[in-house]
Amino acid sequence: MAGRQPRFNQTTLVDTTPLPADIPPVAEIGSSSAPLLSASFFIGARCKPYNDDFMQCKTESAGKGEVDCLKEGRRVTRCATSVIEDVNKHCLAEFRKHWQCLDNNNQQLWQCRPEEWKLNKCVFENLKLEKVIPDAPKGETPVHLRTRQIYAHNGP
Amino acid sequence: MPQDLPPVGGYEPVQYKRNLPARGFRPSVMLLGVAGIMTFGFYKIGKGIREQNELAREKMWSRIHLIPLLTAEEDRDLVRRHLADQKREEELLGSRTSPYHSDRFVRPTYAVTPSQKST
């Protein structure tokens, strides 16, 4: 429901009443899918405690999490926003290159490895956030670091 | 009238065997070659499947990292609409009555929009 704003000719069929004043406002993340996908592992690296907190809250307050977990949700959004802002501040060029590549390649991560390596390097140097894929088999190069991507159209 | 007899010295031998050259490799070599090609192919398939698994893992984890963020945003929107709904209901009916026999949050099926001028 939140994702796509319905458009009609006569009226905007969205209830635009704002949240009541006793619920603190928070700026939404406001970025589209490709930048989010590009930054997802950095968001995961920095915001894991908040994310886990939020998901635990949702699990424990079964059925009422929408209302009860607003506070945790605000924390999650603030943390993710901070990551996006930091990446924008330090690695804007690499970030843009990577998510535009993702946008042009059907959001397939393996098509954009060179851009991703540059972005990962920049983010690691400036923000100390590293992309780690959990549960990957040990003793192998992680997929995002392999120099030869089997499925890429024009491999690096 | 003399009878029809075989020629003197008998008939020529009848050629019943085909006289075709045996082309190509020996069958054993062919078999080995095919086995080799297939082994190589399966090896490449195995590699590809392993890589696909890893790529799928990467995709899933990228989504897992984003899900709390997206859920939080959606929940906030739902709660905003829910509270606005309840407020409207109270203004119109003077009381809040839940149609459900539980205090769980129920995602609305229908969205009521406040009346506004068409633009």
Side-chain angles (χ1 to χ4, degrees), chain A:
Chain A
M1 279 211 173
R4 188 175 294 190
Q5 300 284 327
R7 293 282 160 82
F8 290 92
N9 290 331
Q10 286 85 22
T11 42
T12 318
L13 289 181
V14 174
D15 189 351
T16 49
T17 322
L19 271 173
D22 56 322
I23 297 175
V26 60
E28 297 295 357
I29 187 92
S31 69
S32 60
S33 58
L36 282 180
L37 175 64
S38 174
S40 61
F41 279 90
F42 309 132
I43 292 175
R46 183 183 281 180
C47 308
K48 192 159 189 307
Y50 300 106
N51 287 355
D52 288 353
D53 219 27
F54 178 67
M55 292 322 267
Q56 192 187 10
C57 173
K58 292 273 286 185
T59 313
E60 281 172 0
S61 60
K64 290 186 290 178
E66 281 84 349
V67 188
D68 292 351
C69 300
L70 282 175
K71 192 173 78 174
E72 284 81 358
R74 282 194 295 274
R75 284 183 185 151
V76 165
T77 304
R78 271 200 291 270
C79 179
T81 314
S82 80
V83 173
I84 296 270
E85 274 174 1
D86 281 354
V87 172
N88 271 345
K89 204 195 291 169
H90 294 290
C91 307
L92 186 59
E94 288 90 347
F95 185 45
R96 268 198 190 147
K97 267 216 162 124
H98 185 223
W99 69 253
Q100 281 169 0
C101 174
L102 286 177
D103 251 353
N104 291 337
N105 284 294
N106 209 6
Q107 305 208 348
Q108 291 169 334
L109 285 165
W110 60 89
Q111 309 279 15
C112 300
R113 294 298 182 202
E115 288 87 351
E116 188 188 323
W117 293 331
K118 279 174 207 140
L119 174 65
N120 285 1
K121 186 162 170 284
C122 174
V123 168
F124 184 68
E125 279 167 2
N126 290 303
L127 307 176
K128 302 282 170 262
L129 297 175
E130 199 180 0
K131 171 170 175 175
V132 178
I133 304 174
D135 302 335
K138 289 176 182 62
E140 278 179 34
T141 324
V143 253
H144 62 287
L145 298 178
R146 289 180 193 166
T147 44
R148 192 178 138 65
Q149 298 286 325
I150 299 177
Y151 291 98
H153 289 152
N154 23 22

